[in-house]
Structure formats: structure tokens, C-alpha cells
Amino acid sequence: GFVVGHAGLYQALAMFAVAYFIIGMTVLSVCAIATNGALDAGGAYYMISRALGPEFGGSIGIMFFLANVCGSALYVLGLVEAVVDSFGIPPGQKVGSGIHVLPQSYWYELLYGTILLALCLVVCLVGASIYAKATFLIFLIVAGVLGTILVSFFATRPLGVPIHMPHLNGSETENGSFTGFSLATLRENLGGGYGVDYTTGQMMSFSSVFAVMFNGCTGIMAGSNMSGDLKRPSYSIPRGTISAVLFTYLVYNLLAFLMCATCSRTLLQKDYGFLRDISIFPPLVTVGIYAATLSAAMSNLIGASRILYALARDDLFGRALALAKKTSASGNPIMAVILSWLVVQLVLFSGKLNTIAGVVTTFFLLVYATVNLACLALEWASAPNFRPTFRYFTWHTCLLGIAGCCVMMFLISPVSASVSLGFLLLLLLALHYLSPSSTWGYISQALIFHQVRKYLLMLDVRKDHVKFWRPQMLLMVQNPRGSARLIDFVNDLKKSGLYVLGHVELQDLDALPSDPLQPQQDSWLTLVDKLNVKAFVSLTLAPSVRHGVRQLLFTSGLGGMRPNTLVLGFYDDTAPQDGLAQHPAFTSAREELPLGFPPLRASDTPKLLSPREYVGIVADALKMLRNVLLARNLESLDKAWELRRAASPPPSIHVWPVNLLRPDSARYADTCSLFLLQMACVLNMARAWRRARLRLFLCVEAGAMPHAQEDKLRQLLKDLRIQAQIQLVPWDAVVRLHWQAQRGPPGVPAPTGKEEEEGATVNFPTNTAQVSDDYVRAANKMVLEQGPAPAVRFLYLPRPPADTGLYPLYLRQLELLTRDLGPTVLVHGVSAVTSTQL
């Protein structure tokens, strides 16, 4: 009567259509999820948490708990209004007469509500079985009352109904009328006629009437809330829920039409208990109203307790809900029931039904939207294990349900909707950072996999362009205990590119009972999480390190995301130090290192690979057109200290773009030099390194027009948009040592120009043998003297010689060149990575 009296028939039918459209879409989603596996206690919370993960499940669980709590309070307040309307002392009278003996005031009505809520508590404490029996009895009573009311519309003759309305200190009487079936009455009630709600004194509107009406439709979750108490929830929930929705929708529409055709608008708006006045047996209507509201209040109370119990059992909120875990001997969560009752009691202080109707509706709509979202996510993830036996849904129905819920939330109360969403977001963030990890499975992982696979297929390597090049790193790690800072450093170098931690285990799978890499995978992934690096892990078995690195270079990555740069630690005789134990990520943790990595190699223990094999790995990578970085002394780099020190000038990055082992070809604009510049610039662009300054060293000889070379280099840096300070370094004395060694002992011919050119373009077969140790030491000293000491140095890495017999000599020259330089990165690039175009 409240809905039809204010909104009229047309708008009432529209409200029912909108409400049941939202409910229908949600019911389809509920049925799909309920038939996709075993359900436990918690209803909608259980469905959402197991589908969307603990963050969404926990936050929506709290929202759904509050919705049921407020819904229970709302029905109790509705029952109080019905009791007071039947037995209350009329307004303006101090002493009642006959059956009208109950005083009316805020505190008295609160007392009545408390007593009725205590009755609900007693039933819920006894258990779900007595509740089920009570609700079945109530169903029979309500069905009988409904039949009586339908008969009364036809059997009752037209009559006038006096309505006593409170007015100031007294009351006034208005006359409503039951006209019987009348075309004039129907026409009068077709359109809307919003007035003042006599219980709250507030002006009604479409949204406020819809908010009150929608609460009469929220019982669809009553069955799913008791999922833990049902014998066959996946069977009972779809059939019971769909039957209830269809039945109530038909009844509501039928009653709306009968009321509009027989009752005046005054009667509908000013007397919400008018059905008693027109009934052929008025006491039965009163009993029906009491039974229906009492049943709804108990349903919401028991639903709230089951949700609270499920939340407590899942330990999402830790000790805060520990008390709610306690159950009776029969398994009834009595503490959850008592806690829910206490919260409902607090909500009763709001005083009037229509006061909290908007908030309750907003909460329920938010929960329904999330149920649809859970089903939508499961459908979009296309997981093979999502195969519900209920198939009458699609992603379209889920999307329509979400849209309908969101639109109506903001139409009813933009403020309540915004506050509810804000509260939900806070709960999401809190649970994301504070809740323990779960074993339920995360739908986000399935959705991410689905989308990543789709976009990887779209990532076409044939469309690569130098403008959008980015480093994609494969860092080979023997033991993370000795490489923690190197792992962190390469993470700064990747510039949003692919980053893979590679490891080779020297074993033969034929001689093993199972794969030894699987138990190690968790340790590596935990390492990645602890170090907070954005990296993948790729482990392999191989008979040698070189074969293993080849495997990883060939197979790491997927589609257009493959490593283009190999990073290796330097091969020297320095004993490895355990940097993992001193790393801030582990020293700040209370527990001991949970990682299962073996102890570091002792200084007298032989290495897993020889110098020849190490250089062979570099040669293999270059043959496969991968760029190569060799990192020396990176474990001595204290990045936090270097970058936070307050000394002036700020820390610097030294860049030497000239091949110091090839002084007769001192070019700084070849592919390798430009790649070296790019890597130094990429490091400088990382957030942690932005304070550092690039210093570029240009080696010049007397009479070679150094300023012209400097101008040319400055113009190149400008074209490449690289901010760097250029410093000229005279190296005549260093080069002189090289030319003296070039003359060689008597009787040995010097290389011809043709041989030199071939060496420069292929693998420098002659140059490695011709560079003397004295020259390399002098070059090392020249680099070392350029102060102040930088945070890190970038040096040009020459290509290994073609003659594999020269590999040990090549490695010795690299060791001499980088000796005592501190953190140093030797760089050799094979691909064009810089662009001056837009």
C-alpha cells in the first residue's frame, strides 16, 4: 500500500520490474556459483570469497553482514509499527481503552523492538532446525493470510475507513475509502502522487519509495545464507530461490493492481495497515503481518550470524573476530548469533523503519553487484573447472546485473552509495595488506592469465621498432646469497622490460627419480618477493653451465617478450660474500631466512665453470645477437648509502664509451658505444638513481682536434636527449705503451692494414694478443684516476677473440682493466637501441 499509494500503479509496476530485473540477474549468478562446487557456511560471502579471493570476499562479507544486520533491525522496526498500530494508545490520548493499551514514544517503541528482537535471538540460539520449522509454519500462516486478502478484495463491500493522524499535541481524523472495483479509483491511482510519510514526516520520492520497496525483495539470499545448514545446497538453492522470486513477483504485481482498483489514494498513503480494515477476518491479517516481519527479522539475524561465523573461521580479521568462532555442541555458532544480535540492537536506536531503508538497500545492492561480478569474473576467466550445472546465464546477464545495481544505488542515495563504496575500498586495502594468504585460488590470477595470453599473441616481434626498444634482461645467478645487490641493480636497469633470473643446476635428469628444480621454485619466488624485484624465475638442468645458459637464451620468455640482454657476474678469484643475510629485506624480518639456498662456495673450492667456458658463454650470447653485460664488484655497491648521502656533488655514473682494449680504433659512435650510453641513461632514469649525474669521458690524443670531437659528441648527446657532463681525458701516454708493444721483437712483422681492418670488423683475432699487460694496467690507472669515485662505472666490453685458445688471455685483460675500479659494468651491444626520431 505504501508503494502504490505514493508511486501509483504505473511507477509501482516499473519499480517491481527494475527490482526484479536486478534480483533476477543476481539469482542467475547465485545459481551458477552455487552449482559449481561444494558450498559451505556463509552464503554469498562464501561464494564471493572463493571466487574473487580474500580481499573482495572479506570486504563484501562485512558489507553483507551489515546489510543483514540492518535488514533485521528494519523488519523489527516494521513489526513494532504494526504492533503499535494495532495496540497502541491513539495519539492525543493519555489512557488507552480496549485493546489500545501500549504507550507510544521513542523509548517505548525501542523497548518493544528489544523484546521482539530477544524473541528472534532465542529462536536463532536454539539452532537452524527450529528456525526452519518456525519459518515453514510462518509460511503456512502467510499463505493463508494472502488467500484471505485476495478473497477480501472481492467479498468486502465499499466502506469508509477513518484514519487517525497525529497532529501537534492531538490527532485529526481523515477519511479513506474502500470503493470495491472501480474504474474511477483505478484511474485516480494510475499516476504518481508522492506525499509526506506520516511515520517520519519526510517527503517521499521515487528513490525513497524504491528503497523501502526493495527491502521486501531481499529475501532471495535467505536460502544461500544458510548454505552451511542445507543438506544439498547446490540442489536446493537454485530451485528454492528461483521459485521464491517468481512467486513473489507475481503476488506483488497482483496486489498492486487490486489495491489501485479498490482503494483511494488517501487510504493507501495515510494508513499502512489498511488491509485489516478491508479484510473479511481482520485478526488474521494482523497475525500474518506479525508472522511475515518476524520471519524476515529472524532470517536476516541468522544470515548475519552465519556470515560472521564464516568470516571468523577464515581468519581474515585475525583476533578481532576470534570470539565468533565458538559453536554449540550441535555446531550452531552461538557467539556469532549473540554478536549479531548486539549489533542489531544498536541499529534499533535509529527508531523508524523508513530511516534506515536507504542504507539497507544500498548495502544489499552492493552485495548483489559483487555476486554478479564474481560470476562475471569466473565466466570471463574461461577456467576449465568453472562448469556449473546451472547453465541459464551468460556474461551479459552478469553485466546487466552489475549495471542495474550500480545505477539504482546512486539513484536511491548518492551519499550512501559513495560512503559504502569508500568503506568497501578501505576494507579491500586493509585486507590486501594485512590478511594472510589463502589457498582458495585467486580469480585475479585466472583473469590475468587470460588477458596476458591474449596480449602476448598480439605482441608481434615483426613490428618491433628501435623507438620502443627496452632492455629485457636474463641475469644468470649461481647462488642468490652472493648476488643480492646485483639482482637489485639489474632490476633498476630493466626499464619496465622483461627481467628473468636464470639458474643452471648441473645434474642429469636420467639419473634422478624426479625433477629437482620443482622444490627450489618456491625459494626463488620467495626471494623475488622479499627483494621486491619485478622478475620471473627460469631454472634449468644441464650437463654444463654453458649448455644451460644456451637453453635459457633459447627458451626464456614467450612470444615478443624474450631476453635481449644477458647479464653475468664477473669471473675472478674473489671469494663470494653472503650479501643476502645483510640485505635490508631480510635483516628487518623477524623470522630467520626461509630460503633453501645452499651455503656459498668457499674460496678454496673449485668453480663450476672454467675461464674458457665463461668466455664461451659471452661468445655464444653475441652469436645469438644478445647484448652482454658483465658486472664486477656489484656486491660492494651500497646503493642506499651512495644515493642518500648529502655530500656535494651528488653521486655520479662514469661512462667510458671507447673500447680501451682497442686504442687504434677509438670510436665512440658505433653500435656498442651507443648501447653503452643507452644503458647508463636507463640506469639514470630509474627512480632510485635520478639524483646521480652522468659523466662521459672522451679519450683524446694531442693534435686530434679534441674540441671538435667534444662538440660532435655533445651534439650526439643532444640528439639522443641524454643529459651528461663531458670530460676530456688525454691518453697519449697510455696509447704510447700500446704502439711500443705493437712493434714487437725483431723479426716479427707488424700486422698489415688489411689484417687490422678484418680484425676490427670480425672478432679482433690479432688485437687480443697484441695488447700488453702494461698498456691495460695504464688504462686501468687512467680510469681509476678520474675522480671523485663514482657509484658505478660503465666500460666498453670488447668482443671475445675468434681463437678460443685466446679466451684465458682475453679474460685476464678484462680483469686487469677493471681491477680495483669498484662497481663496474662491462657492456657490449649488438643491436641498435637509440633513436633521434619522434
Side-chain angles (χ1 to χ4, degrees):
F2 168 81
V3 176
V4 176
H6 286 283
L9 180 62
Y10 291 153
Q11 292 188 38
L13 294 179
M15 288 182 186
F16 293 140
V18 171
Y20 275 87
F21 172 79
I22 293 171
I23 290 168
M25 299 300 102
T26 305
V27 164
L28 297 181
S29 299
V30 168
C31 294
I33 299 175
T35 58
N36 189 52
L39 274 180
D40 206 338
Y45 158 70
Y46 187 86
M47 298 178 192
I48 294 168
S49 62
R50 269 47 178 185
L52 299 185
E55 295 93 345
F56 251 108
S59 52
I60 286 296
I62 290 294
M63 301 296 285
F64 199 26
F65 168 75
L66 293 176
N68 278 276
V69 160
C70 293
S72 181
L74 181 140
Y75 289 119
V76 169
L77 291 173
L79 181 54
V80 169
E81 286 187 10
V83 169
V84 169
D85 192 46
S86 300
F87 303 104
I89 298 173
Q93 298 182 18
K94 293 184 179 181
V95 179
S97 59
I99 61 173
H100 299 283
V101 294
L102 295 179
Q104 294 191 49
S105 72
Y106 170 79
W107 293 107
Y108 274 113
E109 290 178 6
L110 179 63
L111 175 62
Y112 306 150
T114 302
I115 294 171
L116 293 171
L117 182 60
L119 177 61
C120 296
L121 173 66
V122 170
V123 173
C124 293
L125 283 176
V126 172
S129 57
I130 189 67
Y131 164 75
K133 293 175 183 176
T135 51
F136 181 71
L137 177 62
I138 290 171
F139 169 74
L140 295 178
I141 294 173
V142 171
V145 172
L146 181 61
T148 304
I149 290 172
L150 293 176
V151 171
S152 298
F153 281 111
F154 296 90
T156 303
R157 295 181 179 181
L159 56 87
V161 180
I163 305 168
H164 301 283
M165 302 296 300
H167 181 70
L168 297 178
N169 294 327
S171 65
E172 61 180 20
T173 301
E174 294 190 29
N175 293 315
S177 59
F178 175 77
T179 63
F181 286 99
S182 167
L183 188 59
T185 305
L186 179 63
R187 286 174 178 169
E188 178 190 352
N189 291 326
L190 289 178
Y194 295 99
V196 176
D197 173 26
Y198 70 84
T199 64
T200 62
Q202 297 177 353
M203 184 67 186
M204 293 290 99
S205 63
F206 182 91
S207 59
S208 57
V209 172
F210 181 87
V212 175
M213 182 277 300
F214 191 80
N215 286 287
C217 312
T218 56
I220 62 161
M221 286 294 184
S224 63
N225 286 344
M226 295 185 64
S227 54
D229 301 299
L230 299 174
K231 289 183 179 179
R232 297 171 60 193
S234 60
Y235 175 86
S236 303
I237 289 175
R239 287 163 176 76
T241 306
I242 293 174
S243 301
V245 168
L246 293 176
F247 179 74
T248 54
Y249 180 67
L250 292 174
V251 168
Y252 283 166
N253 280 276
L254 178 60
L255 286 175
F257 175 77
L258 293 176
M259 291 175 184
C260 282
T262 59
C263 301
S264 67
R265 188 176 293 273
T266 301
L267 180 63
L268 294 173
Q269 282 190 354
K270 303 294 177 67
D271 184 5
Y272 300 155
F274 71 95
L275 287 175
R276 283 192 307 271
D277 302 319
I278 67 171
S279 173
I280 56 176
F281 188 55
L284 190 59
V285 175
T286 302
V287 171
I289 292 173
Y290 294 171
T293 49
L294 193 64
S295 169
M298 284 191 297
S299 170
N300 279 269
L301 180 60
I302 202 167
S305 66
R306 295 312 190 259
I307 295 166
L308 188 64
Y309 171 65
L311 283 166
R313 197 176 58 177
D314 286 338
D315 276 329
L316 294 183
F317 294 90
R319 297 180 180 177
L321 296 180
L323 192 63
K325 292 182 184 180
K326 297 184 178 180
T327 62
S328 64
S330 61
N332 186 30
I334 54 174
M335 290 309 300
V337 173
I338 292 172
L339 291 173
S340 302
W341 166 75
L342 286 173
V343 182
V344 175
Q345 183 64 55
L346 292 175
V347 179
L348 287 181
F349 282 93
S350 62
K352 290 294 181 182
L353 180 153
N354 293 353
T355 306
I356 59 172
V359 176
V360 177
T361 300
T362 301
F363 281 169
F364 272 111
L365 285 170
L366 192 57
V367 173
Y368 293 170
T370 315
V371 170
N372 284 301
L373 178 63
C375 189
L376 177 67
L378 289 168
E379 178 72 7
W380 274 356
S382 300
N385 283 323
F386 181 63
R387 43 180 186 270
T389 55
F390 182 87
R391 295 300 304 166
Y392 302 102
F393 77 101
T394 67
W395 66 268
H396 305 86
T397 60
C398 303
L399 208 57
L400 288 171
I402 295 170
C405 290
C406 293
V407 169
M408 290 313 302
M409 262 200 313
F410 283 93
L411 282 179
I412 291 170
S413 175
V415 175
S416 296
S418 302
V419 171
S420 300
L421 288 172
F423 182 54
L424 176 65
L425 184 60
L426 285 175
L427 286 172
L428 273 171
L429 292 174
L431 287 171
H432 179 72
Y433 289 107
L434 301 177
S435 69
S437 59
S438 72
T439 57
W440 306 336
Y442 292 82
I443 189 64
S444 58
Q445 295 298 305
L447 289 171
I448 290 169
F449 178 90
H450 185 72
Q451 292 302 106
V452 167
R453 180 194 62 84
K454 183 166 66 176
Y455 286 118
L456 272 175
L457 291 171
M458 296 169 61
L459 193 60
D460 192 343
V461 294
R462 296 168 295 183
K463 297 179 182 178
D464 280 348
H465 194 280
V466 66
K467 288 189 297 184
F468 308 114
W469 178 90
R470 66 183 71 236
Q472 305 201 76
M473 304 292 198
L474 171 61
L475 170 62
M476 298 306 304
V477 179
Q478 179 187 348
N479 190 332
R481 292 185 181 277
S483 309
R485 287 181 174 171
L486 176 58
I487 293 171
D488 187 54
F489 178 78
V490 177
N491 187 61
D492 290 335
L493 267 180
K494 71 181 188 305
K495 188 56 180 173
S496 303
L498 177 67
Y499 183 16
V500 180
L501 297 180
H503 173 72
V504 179
E505 193 77 16
L506 298 182
Q507 296 192 54
D508 184 4
L509 190 58
D510 290 339
L512 297 171
S514 62
D515 181 8
L517 299 179
Q518 290 299 325
Q520 298 182 28
Q521 191 79 20
D522 285 346
S523 295
W524 284 86
L525 293 176
T526 304
L527 173 77
V528 168
D529 293 339
K530 288 283 188 179
L531 294 180
N532 195 26
V533 295
K534 296 179 175 62
F536 298 95
V537 174
S538 187
L539 312 179
T540 188
L541 285 176
S544 70
V545 176
R546 186 174 182 182
H547 281 87
V549 176
R550 282 180 185 169
Q551 290 176 22
L552 293 176
L553 284 172
F554 277 124
T555 61
S556 291
L558 200 62
M561 292 188 67
R562 293 185 179 277
N564 56 27
T565 303
L566 174 67
V567 186
L568 301 171
F570 196 76
Y571 191 98
D572 56 20
D573 296 326
T574 306
Q577 302 294 321
D578 192 345
L580 205 58
Q582 284 77 40
H583 195 279
F586 295 95
T587 54
S588 60
R590 294 179 183 175
E591 69 275 5
E592 296 182 2
L593 291 182
L595 307 178
F597 299 116
L600 287 170
R601 174 183 60 86
S603 56
D604 56 348
T605 305
K607 298 180 180 179
L608 295 178
L609 73 167
S610 64
R612 189 185 299 270
E613 188 179 6
Y614 177 82
V615 179
I617 292 172
V618 176
D620 291 344
L622 296 178
K623 289 177 185 177
M624 297 164 69
L625 298 181
R626 303 299 203 277
N627 311 296
V628 177
L629 273 62
L630 305 183
R632 185 173 192 185
N633 293 326
L634 262 296
E635 288 306 303
S636 66
L637 172 63
D638 189 346
K639 186 176 75 172
W641 182 84
E642 288 284 356
L643 301 178
R644 292 175 188 169
R645 58 179 178 172
S648 185
S652 59
I653 301 170
H654 285 192
V655 182
W656 296 79
V658 173
N659 185 356
L660 295 175
L661 296 186
R662 181 85 176 157
D664 52 337
S665 179
R667 295 181 296 172
Y668 55 82
D670 62 358
T671 299
C672 186
S673 298
L674 292 176
F675 181 81
L676 188 150
L677 276 173
Q678 180 82 326
M679 295 311 299
C681 182
V682 165
L683 180 65
N684 195 209
M685 293 168 70
R687 183 187 301 273
W689 289 86
R690 285 177 185 168
R691 276 193 67 241
R693 296 291 179 262
L694 286 181
R695 293 184 66 195
L696 191 60
F697 294 92
L698 179 59
C699 298
V700 296
E701 297 181 58
M705 295 187 293
H707 294 293
Q709 294 184 33
E710 181 183 3
D711 292 342
K712 187 176 179 182
L713 181 58
R714 196 177 303 280
Q715 183 60 43
L716 175 65
L717 294 177
K718 182 179 179 181
D719 293 340
L720 297 176
R721 289 90 62 204
I722 295 176
Q723 301 281 338
Q725 172 192 348
I726 299 176
Q727 183 169 333
L728 301 180
V729 180
W731 70 329
D732 298 83
V734 179
V735 174
R736 192 177 302 116
L737 291 172
H738 172 68
W739 292 120
Q740 289 173 357
Q742 280 284 77
R743 297 191 186 99
V748 179
T752 65
K754 184 177 180 181
E755 288 173 342
E756 249 181 63
E757 184 62 29
E758 287 178 357
T761 56
V762 190
N763 282 328
F764 311 142
T766 59
N767 194 63
T768 301
Q770 292 168 3
V771 175
S772 67
D773 287 356
D774 290 339
Y775 165 76
V776 179
R777 289 190 185 96
N780 168 263
K781 183 179 179 183
M782 176 185 68
V783 173
L784 196 56
E785 288 175 347
Q786 308 305 316
V792 66
R793 289 182 173 90
F794 283 85
L795 271 62
Y796 191 117
L797 173 67
R799 183 183 286 268
D803 184 0
T804 57
L806 296 176
Y807 281 1
L809 179 59
Y810 169 80
L811 188 57
R812 171 177 165 75
Q813 290 174 355
L814 295 182
E815 194 279 327
L816 287 175
L817 180 63
T818 58
R819 183 177 292 176
D820 300 326
L821 291 186
T824 304
V825 182
L826 291 161
V827 180
H828 191 97
V830 296
S831 53
V833 296
T834 55
S835 173
T836 59
Q837 301 175 355
L838 286 176

